[in-house]
């Protein structure tokens, strides 16, 4: 069956090329070329030619399938991109709150086909599976190239629906068995809230079902930085633990294991939301069960190939999902390298003899096994984490050794608490209380490890990127060497790391000034640096947590672990939604905030948490020993108009930030103070048509304009009229939705 593996390699490679590089008729043309090549290879009888024939056949079928999928299924919704259409959407999952109201997933019939969509409603009424919503929506197609920031297409969601007006909601308008797993999932999550204390229930829900929304930012940050976030992302680890329990309960009886194991795997995948990682793991585990039933040898590479083929055949765009990529990459790395690393470490261990039943020998074997699995899994997932998340944990191996051994115990304990809690709630609560102590231990250990200054490195620094590439080159050279010198390899990697970190920390301090417009999607986060002083203006975006993560990554990569100040222009989520998270990891000496007389939960949250560091800006402020002037607004009743304005001045560079002030707010600023000619202007309100006025441009004559804006945002930012005004004034235009994070320095 190894032919299936070669076929899957071709199918997957062509799928990636078709999704990221090719489109339209190029898919059909490439498929035809592969078909011709396959026919030619059939005339050769060598083993290499046979393998190539299977690979090329996989490419041929993949390109052909992609073309059909695109023409038949995707083209109708792609043509609706940017259009407004009335839809009736059947809700398939529970809604969740967002900045503009609520968001939920559902199904809608479009052009005679049923599509999964994600829609937003301005009403904050919670929705449940079985509800139906009617309304007019602006449609956004989520498919396309790798720069699409939504990632929905990997999960089969191809349309985002933004409301044009109030929608009608019909509660429980339909009932479908497909909703039952989602409903059960919600009931289990609610039940876990009853079984576990408040501080450990979020971890229990994340470990059992991958529900990480309730985990605090600090917990998520610690798990990611310490390199063990995978324990709360349902994947092969959880499925293998579950299957071990099923096998033990079935006494390893093949027929009984099949009859019980396959339904349990399907149900677990359904309740976990059919995420790519759990689907891959369940398919492979299902093949293990079938191999045992048929008394056949289980071949892991063939099983992985089968899982990949099934998943990509169902949705070729799943290859864009980071969950899919990490799951397959992790498994592939383990299959390719785990045994080799294990044998090498066991053979060359200097810890003592690894054979026998002594405690020392068992401990050595356990350490070697854990290290080999972790290293092999990291071999292919590190580049993916660097690309997608911009961070690489350096201490993940040690953290895995410290906490991974107890995860299976906690997992079994959570299931036992649920089952026994159904029979008698106090018993389940008792088990939850007992399990809370090892959970707290894990959270404490990961928190302590994440506090180490270089526990993780960030690819926002080009030096770290070069170091990662250098590490792979060194490892390849080490593998090729006849006489292997592991100490030399480790010394080279360590020396390279020290050099990369030193350059990352020193290089920004050599600049006269530096301004960084962080790509936070539809929002704003600016970092101002001069003479060893570090200030952040705003931190918010599509997700406050994402904005904070990116800002923290940039600051930590430069060795900045404390800010001289953080300036909040106003209290919209896209400007201040990530302030609390940022300050939790990079504290600021002073937090400058505007006076706003309206209601604002974000203002109250920040002011309560950092009361001793708050400075309410009520008059013009020139910050001590810095070239920053802050201008408050006379209008404190409107959130946007109350925006603080920030003027950053260096010897040869003047930069103005106006927050979300409108034309009137800009006129008020110009009437209040004499603005200089600008080298850089941060476009007001993300380039909307009522900001960055003709008068402001005429007064300040900026050479460059930075627009902090999210790709394909629902607001249509930046407005075409604003772009035309900027062109008329000869301004150079830089946009975070096109260029990503933008850095200017002098």
């Amino acid at each position: 069956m190894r032919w299936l593996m070669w076929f899957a390699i071709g199918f997957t490679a062509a799928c990636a090329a078709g999704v990221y590089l090719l489109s339209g008729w190029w898919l059909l043309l490439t498929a035809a070329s592969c078909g011709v090549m396959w026919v030619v290879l059939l005339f050769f009888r060598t083993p290499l030619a046979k393998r190539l024939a299977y690979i090329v056949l996989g490419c041929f079928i993949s390109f052909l399938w992609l073309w059909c999928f695109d023409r038949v299924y995707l083209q109708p919704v792609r043509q609706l991109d940017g259009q407004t259409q009335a839809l009736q959407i059947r809700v398939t999952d529970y809604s969740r709150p967002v900045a503009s109201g609520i968001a939920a997933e559902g199904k809608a019939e479009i052009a005679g086909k049923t599509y999964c969509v994600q829609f937003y409603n301005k009403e904050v009424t919670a929705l449940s599976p079985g509800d139906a919503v009617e309304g007019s929506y602006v449609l956004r197609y989520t498919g396309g190239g790798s720069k699409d920031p939504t990632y929905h297409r990997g999960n089969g969601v191809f349309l985002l629906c933004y409301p044009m007006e109030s929608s009608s909601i019909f509660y429980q308008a339909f009932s479908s068995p497909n909703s039952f797993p989602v409903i059960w999932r919600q009931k289990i999550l609610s039940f876990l809230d009853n079984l576990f204390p408040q501080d450990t229930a979020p971890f229990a829900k994340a470990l059992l079902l991958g529900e990480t929304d309730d985990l605090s930012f600090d917990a998520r940050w610690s798990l990611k930085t310490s390199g063990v976030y995978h324990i709360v992302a349902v994947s092969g680890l959880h499925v293998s633990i579950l299957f071990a329990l099923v096998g033990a309960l079935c006494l390893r009886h093949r027929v009984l294991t099949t009859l019980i194991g396959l339904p349990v795997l399907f149900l677990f995948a359904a309740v976990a939301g059919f995420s790519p990682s759990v689907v891959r793991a369940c398919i492979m585990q299902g093949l293990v069960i079938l191999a045992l039933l048929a008394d056949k040898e289980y071949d892991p590479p063939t099983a992985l190939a089968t899982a990949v083929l099934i998943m990509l055949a169902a949705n070729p765009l799943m290859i864009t999902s980071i969950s899919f990529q990490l799951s397959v990459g992790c498994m592939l790395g383990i299959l390719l390298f785990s045994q080799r690393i294990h044998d090498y470490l066991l053979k060359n261990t200097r810890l003592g003899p690894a054979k026998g039943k002594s405690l020392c020998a068992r401990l050595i074997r356990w350490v070697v096994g854990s290290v080999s699995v972790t290293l092999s899994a990291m071999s292919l997932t590190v580049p993916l984490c660097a690309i997608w998340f911009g961070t690489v944990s350096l201490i993940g191996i040690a953290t895995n050794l410290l906490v991974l051994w107890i995860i299976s115990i906690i997992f079994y304990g959570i299931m036992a608490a649920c089952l026994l809690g159904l029979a008698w709630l106090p018993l389940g609560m008792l088990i939850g209380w007992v399990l809370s102590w090892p959970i707290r231990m894990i959270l404490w250990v990961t928190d302590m490890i994440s506090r180490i200054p270089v526990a993780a490195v960030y690819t926002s620094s080009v030096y770290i990127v070069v170091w990662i590439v250098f590490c792979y080159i060194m490892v390849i050279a080490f593998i090729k060497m006849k006489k292997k010198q592991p100490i030399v390899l480790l010394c080279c990697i360590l020396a390279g790391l020290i050099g990369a970190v030193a350059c990352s920390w020193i290089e920004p301090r050599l600049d006269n000034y530096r301004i960084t417009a962080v790509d936070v999607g539809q929002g704003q986060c600016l970092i101002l640096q001069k003479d060893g002083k570090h200030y952040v203006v705003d931190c918010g975006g599509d997700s406050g947590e994402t904005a904070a993560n990116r800002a923290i990554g940039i600051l930590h990569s430069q060795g900045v672990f404390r800010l001289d100040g953080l300036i909040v222009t106003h209290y919209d989520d896209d400007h201040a939604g990530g302030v609390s998270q940022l300050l939790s990891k990079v504290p600021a000496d002073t937090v400058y905030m505007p006076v706003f007389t309206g209601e604002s939960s974000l203002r109250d949250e920040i002011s309560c948490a950092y009361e001793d560091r708050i400075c309410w800006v009520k008059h013009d402020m020139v910050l001590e020993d810095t070239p920053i002037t802050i201008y408050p607004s006379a209008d404190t009743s409107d959130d946007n108009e109350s925006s603080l304005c920030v003027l950053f001045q260096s010897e040869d560079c003047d930069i103005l930030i106006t927050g979300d002030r409108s034309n009137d707010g800009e006129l008020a600023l110009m009437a209040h103070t004499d603005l200089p000619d600008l080298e850089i202007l941060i476009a007001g309100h993300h380039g909307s048509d009522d900001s960055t006025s003709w008068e402001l441009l005429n007064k300040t004559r900026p050479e460059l304009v930075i627009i902090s804006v999210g790709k394909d945002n629902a607001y249509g930012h930046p407005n075409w009229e604003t772009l035309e005004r900027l062109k008329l004034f000869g301004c150079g235009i830089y946009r975070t939705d096109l260029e990503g994070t933008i850095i200017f320095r002098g």
Side-chain angles (χ1 to χ4, degrees), residues 655-730:
I655 303 167
L656 179 64
I657 304 165
T658 60
D660 276 358
R661 285 200 192 187
S662 67
N663 296 341
D664 292 339
E666 294 171 352
L667 290 173
L669 175 65
M670 289 186 287
H672 175 75
T673 187
D674 186 24
L675 294 174
D677 288 348
L678 299 174
E679 277 65 44
I680 299 176
L681 171 66
I682 307 300
H685 207 171
H686 319 288
S688 71
D689 59 347
D690 63 348
S691 296
T692 318
S693 62
W694 182 280
E695 292 81 2
L696 180 65
L697 293 173
N698 189 51
K699 171 64 178 175
T700 60
R701 298 286 173 169
E703 297 178 9
L704 303 173
V705 175
I706 298 175
I707 306 176
S708 186
V709 64
K711 182 180 179 183
D712 295 335
N713 62 86
Y715 308 97
H717 296 160
N719 186 267
W720 67 272
E721 293 180 357
T722 303
L723 296 176
E724 289 299 318
R725 281 200 300 272
L726 296 177
K727 291 177 182 177
L728 286 174
F729 278 90

Side-chain angles (χ1 to χ4, degrees), residues 520-535:
V520 292
Q522 183 62 20
Q524 180 169 285
C525 182
L526 305 166
I527 302 174
L528 307 177
Q529 297 168 286
K530 180 174 171 60
D531 299 332
K533 300 288 185 178
H534 310 280
Y535 286 82

Side-chain angles (χ1 to χ4, degrees), residues 27-100:
L27 291 170
L28 195 60
L29 180 62
T30 309
S33 302
C34 290
V36 172
M37 190 181 303
W38 175 64
V39 172
V40 172
L41 287 170
L42 291 178
F43 290 97
F44 296 89
R45 299 297 181 183
T46 63
L48 178 61
K50 290 182 178 180
R51 293 172 184 170
L52 289 175
Y54 285 123
I55 294 173
V56 173
L57 179 61
C59 292
F60 166 69
I61 294 178
S62 180
F63 282 125
L64 192 61
W65 169 231
L66 271 172
W67 182 82
C68 295
F69 188 84
D70 181 77
R71 298 286 292 184
V72 175
Y73 195 71
L74 297 182
Q75 186 168 306
V77 291
R78 187 166 55 242
Q79 293 173 345
L80 295 175
D81 187 35
Q83 297 186 20
T84 302
Q85 186 165 321
L87 293 178
Q88 179 173 338
I89 303 173
R90 297 169 295 176
V91 183
T92 58
D93 203 347
Y94 290 91
S95 61
R96 61 188 184 280
V98 294
S100 57

